Amino acid sequence: MSSSDPISILSDRFRAAIRAAFPQLTAEIDPLIAPSKQAQFGDFQCNAAMSLAKQLASKPRDVAQAIVKHADLGDLAEKLSDASIAGPGFINIKLRGDSLGSLLASMDGPSLGVEPAREPMTVVVDLMGVNLAKQMHVGHLRSPFIGDAVARTFERLGHTVLRQNHLGDWGLNIAMTVARLIEMRDAGTLNLDSITLDQLDAAYKAAESSTRRDVDGLAAARKSGHPKAIAELEAQVDGATDAFNRARQTLVKLQAHDPDTFGVWQRIREVTMSVCLAVCERLRVNVTDEHSAGESSYAEELAPMVADLEKRAVAEVDQGALIVRVDQPPRDAAGNPAWEPIKEPCLVRKTDGGFLYATTDVCAIRRRVQKLLADRIIYCIDARQNLHLRQVFAASVRAGYATNPRTGRTAVMEHAAFGAVLGEDGRPFKTRSGDSVSLQALIDEAVDRAAAAVRARNTTISDSELRATAETIGVAAMKYADLCNDRSRDYMFSFDRMLAFEGNTGPYLLYAYARIRRIFEKARERGVEGSWSSAAFRIAAPSEKTLALALLPYNAAVARVAETLQPHHLCQYLYDLAGTFSTFYDQCPVVDAPDAATRDSRLRLCDLTGRVLRDGLSVLGIPTLERM
RNA sequence: GUCCCGGUAGCUCAGUUGGAUAGAGCAGCGGUCUUCUAAAUCGCAGGUCGGCGGUUCGAAUCCGCCCCGGGACGCCA
């Protein structure tokens, strides 16, 4: 299919021109086409002459002249001449007046100019790390927001996407909680049938602290010699040791699927998952139960896998633990290492024979590549896990687990790392008392604030519509505020800013879309319907041209998100589009346009803008509203 | 100590992979509603791009050395 993005078309034309002018250049050529920053220089510019001059050992302006001579821009842009060359060798390009209309027309189809991937791949996206028996809090926000947006981007491009919710649902901490709950149930202080996640969370914390042995405190007390303090701390350590041992016994029972123990565990899982999935649904994050792939699901595979690693000497014993060294990657024929060397080895078995989270993660890669046939695995996880993930990736490659059985190629594994969520004081987001804020409370507040804002501007809206509208606006505000930043940075969580309805926010984009919908409602009231859909685009007014230019690079924006795993590039595109639309809206009457042809052209322009906004927001996982 | 992020307007952030005079939004100042939603729009003001060197026609961007902030560094997950 032919592209509708002028940068893409111009790149092709200039690449051909450069090839023709300099046949001696064999390497790949980047024609460096960019929009002009200032209108006086035209619409676009080619910056390739300067860098090529270096390779060709000639003068940049001579190179530019040769490019200009060979460039055929057809009916897209005005013919180039020596006057098109400026400064050290910039080539300025001015689109022809009628070309924007035909570019828009070529974009105006179901795909909105988005080109499907040439080689559809299977992409696994790891996008949530919920732990059993723990209340969801602000720290659980970014992974599903970013991960779902990335997943949707790949889906939009025609790839097969498999979301994975890597649940923390196994291990000693969970067993500890199970032991605690059984004790409470047997003591009659707890009804497991009606237990809530908050109660589970409390039990988890209690279990955790009851097994923490204060050996440092005891040592200090012994040193200072206070008999009472020593006695208390001895009792504490003994008690904690008992609790710890009970937890270990419970873990053994759990692993053996002892009916009572396993039943309690299942109950914990049920309660946690129902909250987790309800939150996902409310946040419009496409994660359902079928995406669950908990640590427990790997439990049976760990021992055989580790035996395989040991047998093939991929892993070796070091200081009692079993490790996979990743400091000396094999090199291919060209001398490129299979991964960047990492000094710290990857531990896959503890001295006591137990497995670690790295073991499970390697096992997950093995399943994702060998069974799910992943070509690419994307981890949307906290930046602090970076070293751990790099080790796990390297160990998997070394073990051969990351080699896709269908293609024979090593799956591409990437860490889409993100920073912390900070409060407005610049410190990690917490309540005044220092607790983490529950996700439910956070969403409720965003929605409440959105409701108040809608009510303040619209007194006639029904309560049910108000609720639905506020829900959409509140969630859009939260998601957009997260996604519009470079994910690798820490980001500042501020209700005031995300719900300000001004500037680069979710509500601003929703508002732009709602205004477009209102134009069509108005048009229908006037009896104008349908006739515009086949109208010719007549791009005349400056704000029409700006809007058209903002519209065309939609494909590039989506493609860029897939390339960089950075949804903020799409946010930037959409914000720019909404902004240019607002200016157009202000300056160009649509329904009351001076003549029918202009009106129909503008209606079609509005329709295209609205569909791109809706589609782009849907790629981010944000639904639109017909009215606000 | 080693490694990974980050440092751009008073605040929150972009910056198309090295291009022309570094851009938005808040906050500040001043315009624009009998008109398709003013939740908008237009303008003004605001900068040693952490610092110093280097690479070249050209650096916020690449390289080196520092400074500051955050994080991670074998038997927790």
Side-chain angles (χ1 to χ4, degrees):
Chain A
M1 70 176 276
S2 69
S3 175
S4 45
D5 181 3
I7 291 195
S8 165
I9 300 169
L10 289 169
S11 293
D12 289 344
R13 301 287 172 85
F14 274 86
R15 196 176 291 114
I18 293 166
R19 282 246 162 72
F22 307 104
Q24 65 270 40
L25 292 173
T26 50
E28 209 168 298
I29 294 163
D30 186 351
L32 298 171
I33 307 294
S36 295
K37 282 203 182 129
Q38 287 148 79
Q40 50 166 317
F41 296 129
D43 300 311
F44 295 93
Q45 58 186 42
C46 166
N47 299 328
M50 284 83 76
S51 60
L52 286 174
K54 211 170 291 177
Q55 300 175 43
L56 295 160
S58 61
K59 287 187 198 149
R61 287 192 75 101
D62 294 347
V63 175
Q65 269 177 4
I67 295 173
V68 165
K69 216 169 89 187
H70 287 85
D72 172 18
L73 303 186
D75 50 13
L76 181 65
E78 289 173 8
K79 196 161 168 47
L80 299 173
S81 68
D82 284 358
S84 308
I85 303 169
F90 300 107
I91 302 170
N92 290 321
I93 305 154
K94 196 163 165 36
L95 293 179
R96 277 177 48 167
D98 51 356
S99 59
L100 282 174
S102 48
L103 289 171
L104 287 172
S106 76
M107 176 179 179
D108 192 3
S111 77
L112 297 169
V114 174
E115 296 168 31
R118 277 190 295 272
E119 286 179 62
M121 296 186 303
T122 299
V123 183
V124 167
V125 181
D126 191 304
L127 78 179
M128 196 163 216
V130 168
N131 294 308
L132 289 208
K134 277 189 176 169
Q135 188 58 268
M136 292 183 76
H137 57 83
V138 64
H140 293 105
L141 221 39
R142 302 204 74 185
S143 179
F145 279 178
I146 296 165
D148 191 40
V150 166
R152 287 169 188 263
T153 303
F154 282 99
E155 283 167 341
R156 182 69 176 81
L157 293 170
H159 297 289
T160 300
V161 174
L162 302 169
R163 291 168 171 78
Q164 295 277 284
N165 184 358
H166 193 80
L167 296 169
D169 65 354
W170 207 242
L172 191 60
N173 284 3
I174 304 294
M176 238 177 237
T177 313
V178 172
R180 178 93 187 177
L181 291 170
I182 288 175
E183 279 166 29
M184 290 169 77
R185 181 199 62 190
D186 293 350
T189 55
L190 185 79
N191 182 354
L192 277 174
D193 294 330
S194 62
I195 196 166
T196 64
L197 185 53
D198 278 328
Q199 289 173 295
L200 286 178
D201 193 73
Y204 184 100
K205 286 184 179 129
E208 208 176 29
S209 67
S210 73
T211 53
R212 200 177 299 124
R213 304 190 308 158
D214 191 2
V215 285
D216 292 344
L218 180 58
R222 281 193 174 134
K223 215 169 174 183
S224 64
H226 291 296
K228 197 178 160 199
I230 292 173
E232 275 174 10
L233 283 157
E234 275 176 352
Q236 194 280 333
V237 168
D238 287 350
T241 304
D242 285 350
F244 189 81
N245 287 336
R246 279 199 303 278
R248 290 206 63 108
Q249 285 159 15
T250 307
L251 181 59
V252 172
K253 282 191 194 169
L254 192 55
Q255 284 165 340
H257 287 210
D258 165 69
D260 186 43
T261 313
F262 197 70
V264 172
W265 175 80
Q266 279 180 315
R267 182 68 193 136
I268 298 176
R269 198 173 197 277
E270 240 170 59
V271 172
T272 309
M273 286 313 288
S274 77
V275 171
C276 169
L277 296 179
V279 165
C280 286
E281 195 178 346
R282 194 175 181 198
L283 291 175
R284 310 299 185 109
V285 167
N286 186 1
V287 170
T288 62
D289 202 34
E290 67 181 296
H291 303 122
S292 295
E295 291 171 344
S296 63
S297 76
Y298 298 102
E300 303 296 318
E301 300 171 26
L302 299 183
M305 183 188 81
V306 169
D308 174 55
L309 291 173
E310 203 169 10
K311 193 181 99 203
R312 292 191 291 127
V314 173
E316 62 195 86
V317 175
D318 187 80
Q319 298 168 39
L322 190 69
I323 64 168
V324 177
R325 292 196 192 277
V326 287
D327 55 344
Q328 288 179 333
R331 287 170 188 277
D332 63 15
N336 300 313
W339 64 82
E340 285 303 310
I342 305 164
K343 245 189 332 217
E344 298 86 346
C346 182
L347 267 79
V348 292
R349 193 180 65 205
K350 298 189 283 183
T351 305
D352 69 4
F355 301 124
L356 299 103
Y357 77 137
T359 325
T360 309
D361 281 331
V362 170
C363 197
I365 290 173
R366 187 175 68 157
R367 181 191 294 172
R368 289 165 183 187
V369 179
Q370 302 306 317
K371 294 272 190 324
L372 305 181
L373 301 174
D375 298 300
R376 190 169 173 179
I377 311 178
I378 295 162
Y379 286 79
C380 293
I381 298 182
D382 191 334
R384 288 176 300 187
Q385 307 276 349
N386 184 261
L387 173 61
H388 162 69
L389 286 173
R390 279 165 38 225
Q391 289 173 316
V392 165
F393 295 165
S396 304
V397 171
R398 189 172 161 195
Y401 297 157
T403 305
N404 184 303
R406 193 173 50 192
T407 64
R409 288 203 290 258
T410 303
V412 176
M413 293 176 283
E414 291 152 291
H415 180 201
F418 52 82
V421 180
L422 306 179
E424 288 181 78
D425 56 1
R427 296 206 308 264
F429 192 84
K430 293 274 168 68
T431 60
R432 279 206 193 94
S433 56
D435 297 328
S436 53
V437 186
S438 100
L439 218 43
Q440 316 265 23
L442 218 56
I443 303 168
D444 286 344
E445 177 155 5
V447 169
D448 287 349
R449 286 180 182 233
V454 172
R455 180 54 88 200
R457 292 172 174 86
N458 185 341
T459 49
T460 58
I461 190 170
S462 72
D463 281 349
S464 66
E465 191 182 350
L466 173 72
R467 241 193 327 275
T469 303
E471 188 76 22
T472 300
I473 295 174
V475 169
M478 285 178 75
K479 282 183 119 165
Y480 191 85
D482 192 321
L483 294 171
C484 74
N485 291 305
D486 178 335
R487 60 169 163 69
S488 66
R489 299 168 52 126
D490 292 349
Y491 108 94
M492 197 167 280
F493 189 97
S494 161
F495 283 119
D496 285 336
R497 242 193 300 276
M498 72 176 72
L499 282 154
F501 296 176
E502 289 147 348
N504 193 5
T505 67
Y508 177 81
L509 296 187
L510 293 182
Y511 178 59
Y513 181 77
R515 285 172 122 185
I516 292 174
R517 298 316 304 156
R518 176 61 189 152
I519 288 172
F520 285 93
E521 209 175 299
K522 196 84 182 174
R524 270 193 299 279
E525 286 169 14
R526 299 282 184 84
V528 180
E529 215 156 344
S531 62
W532 50 267
S533 60
S534 57
F537 285 109
R538 289 159 40 124
I539 304 304
S543 62
E544 287 176 308
K545 183 177 175 181
T546 312
L547 178 56
L549 284 171
L551 226 21
L552 293 169
Y554 181 51
N555 174 60
V558 177
R560 193 138 185 251
V561 175
E563 195 186 307
T564 61
L565 310 179
Q566 286 276 22
H568 81 278
H569 289 127
L570 181 55
C571 295
Q572 202 68 36
Y573 167 89
L574 292 171
Y575 176 55
D576 186 48
L577 180 61
T580 56
F581 171 77
S582 292
T583 302
F584 161 82
Y585 180 92
D586 200 56
Q587 294 175 4
C588 296
V590 178
V591 176
D592 292 319
D595 57 78
T598 305
R599 180 198 64 200
D600 288 353
S601 164
R602 286 179 180 170
L603 280 168
R604 196 174 168 199
L605 193 55
C606 288
D607 175 67
L608 183 57
T609 305
R611 279 156 54 216
V612 171
L613 281 175
R614 188 177 56 207
D615 191 67
L617 286 167
S618 82
V619 169
L620 297 173
I622 298 173
T624 47
L625 289 165
E626 294 299 299
R627 294 192 288 174
M628 280 175 78

